[in-house]
Amino acid sequence: MLAVGATNAAVDVLTRGLAVELAPIRVNAISPGTIDTGAYDALGDEAKERLFAARSTTSPARRIGTPDDIADAVVFAVTTPFLTGVSLAIDGGEPLV
């Protein structure tokens, strides 16, 4: 968990710094929560199912994210011209609990 937190903090700082340094080029990042992709397949079907069930139960969104959720965020970030230096947390509110 510490490595994930440190990595996310580094991405946030890098995103803000690059937005300033590369201006007027816009720089944003997507910070995904638990998304149902192949990234969890190595756990095996049963372990993946248990993990997703547990996170769905505790997440304020009451579900696991999908690739479409991330795609929607990317489209938003790319098409919003007054957005820069932002890390969009597409995580269903997972960090809140």
Side-chain angles (χ1 to χ4, degrees):
M1 198 60 140
L2 179 60
V4 172
T7 301
N8 288 344
V11 169
D12 287 345
V13 169
L14 183 62
T15 300
R16 289 183 204 142
L18 286 173
V20 171
E21 293 297 320
L22 297 176
I25 296 170
R26 297 179 309 109
V27 178
N28 296 296
I30 304 295
S31 179
T34 305
I35 307 297
D36 188 2
T37 66
Y40 294 93
D41 289 351
L43 295 174
D45 291 341
E46 289 180 23
K48 178 180 169 180
E49 194 173 310
R50 282 193 307 272
L51 174 69
F52 283 7
R55 291 194 179 167
S56 292
T57 301
T58 59
S59 165
R62 298 292 190 259
R63 68 178 182 88
I64 297 301
T66 67
D68 285 342
D69 294 319
I70 301 303
D72 290 344
V74 170
V75 169
F76 171 76
V78 169
T79 61
T80 304
F82 202 56
L83 182 73
T84 193
V86 173
S87 291
L88 295 172
I90 310 303
D91 58 18
E94 285 179 34
L96 301 175
V97 293

